[in-house]
Amino acid sequence: MWYAAVAAGSFRRYATYQIATVAGVFTNTVFGFIVASTYIALWHERPHLGGYDQAQALTFVWTAQALLATAALMGSGGLDELQERIRSGDIAVDLYRPADLQLWWLSADLGRAALQLLGRGVAPMAVGALAFPLALPGDPLTWACFLLSVLLGVLVSFALRYLVALASFWLLDGTGLSLISGLACMFFSGMLLPLRVFPGGLGEVAALLPWAAVLQTPADVLVGVLSGGALVRGLVFQAAWAVALLALGRLVQSAATRKVVVHGG
């Protein structure tokens, strides 16, 4: 129950920023309309680009907007606080707590993601469904698989962001690495353009990278591209990256906390 309390506390913490949530919904919705208009023009010229029809492509757009904050596709998702605690040396206090550092921050991130999914995910998707012909599933099982895929995507996203945050143990300032990581996530997750549209070998390589598990796979589950055996393989792909990156995070954490040096003294 310790980590459940951390997750609940994180949920309540982000729920207090109601104006920021409303502003985020507005921003996601506006960008959704802009990108959707671009996709309509693009799919008008190439009706089956990437194996999607226009309705599936538009669903991809609004799924990306719904998961933008949930999976922290364009930011640290609160882990910049961990970076600052490492830089200032306050991390020493965290290490004295009777709780695992990684599980503590993972629990907090899951609470944050749950709030963002409800607060900044549902509304833009609903607006998109009202304004455009989306290919949303009518099968509750598909929705359940989509939510499971979103959870796995959040785990992968956290594992990547946690590794970036841990790099602050060796860097004086992790801002640059965070920016590089954010750009990589935007490009290789499918946020800018579905990975299925990428040409040749680039698309094949991008589909195997961990960022594909954050957005591309959940979106493909929702639009029905992944079903049956392909759906199982997609979920296993996400779970494998989540386990591998979380395990790597534990190794890096172990190496980093053997000797803690406060920057500047």
Side-chain angles (χ1 to χ4, degrees), residues 32-33 36-37 40 58 62 127-134:
F33 273 95
S37 300
I40 288 174
L58 291 173
W62 291 101
V127 172
L130 291 173
F132 300 93
L134 303 186

Side-chain angles (χ1 to χ4, degrees), residues 13-14 72 75-83 105 108-109 112 161:
R13 173 188 177 186
Y14 282 90
S76 66
L79 290 186
D80 53 343
E81 181 181 348
L82 174 58
Q83 288 181 306
W105 285 97
D109 196 64
R112 176 205 60 79
R161 289 178 284 118

Side-chain angles (χ1 to χ4, degrees), residues 29-239:
T29 303
V30 170
F31 273 98
F33 273 95
I34 294 173
V35 179
S37 300
T38 304
Y39 274 38
I40 288 174
L42 184 58
W43 260 261
H44 178 74
E45 297 295 327
R46 301 282 299 276
H48 298 288
L49 183 62
Y52 299 122
D53 58 30
Q54 188 178 90
Q56 289 174 318
L58 291 173
T59 305
F60 191 101
V61 171
W62 291 101
T63 302
Q65 294 303 315
L67 298 184
L68 179 63
T70 302
L73 295 172
M74 294 180 62
S76 66
L79 290 186
D80 53 343
E81 181 181 348
L82 174 58
Q83 288 181 306
E84 175 58 26
R85 293 185 69 80
I86 294 172
R87 188 196 65 79
S88 66
D90 290 340
I91 190 66
V93 178
D94 299 336
L95 295 175
Y96 272 112
R97 289 173 178 162
D100 180 78
L101 185 68
Q102 186 186 51
L103 289 178
W104 176 284
W105 285 97
L106 174 58
S107 300
D109 196 64
L110 290 176
R112 176 205 60 79
L115 186 280
Q116 298 292 12
L117 181 62
L118 294 174
R120 291 183 58 177
V122 174
M125 178 67 80
V127 172
L130 291 173
F132 300 93
L134 303 186
L136 295 175
D139 180 11
L141 180 60
T142 302
W143 281 103
C145 291
F146 169 67
L147 291 177
L148 174 59
S149 184
V150 169
L151 173 60
L152 293 172
V154 170
L155 290 177
V156 174
S157 172
F158 166 79
L160 289 167
R161 289 178 284 118
Y162 189 71
L163 285 169
V164 171
L166 289 180
S168 296
F169 275 105
W170 293 277
L171 302 175
L172 290 176
D173 187 353
T175 303
L177 184 60
S178 296
L179 290 174
I180 294 173
S181 176
L183 290 173
C185 184
M186 286 184 62
F187 186 79
F188 289 110
S189 68
M191 183 67 197
L192 297 179
L193 199 64
L195 301 183
R196 292 177 177 272
V197 179
F198 284 21
L202 177 60
E204 294 175 0
V205 171
L208 297 176
L209 298 177
W211 295 283
V214 178
L215 172 60
Q216 182 70 49
T217 302
D220 281 346
V221 171
L222 187 64
V223 302
V225 172
L226 297 180
S227 60
L231 172 60
V232 174
R233 289 191 294 273
L235 295 176
V236 170
F237 167 74
Q238 289 182 288

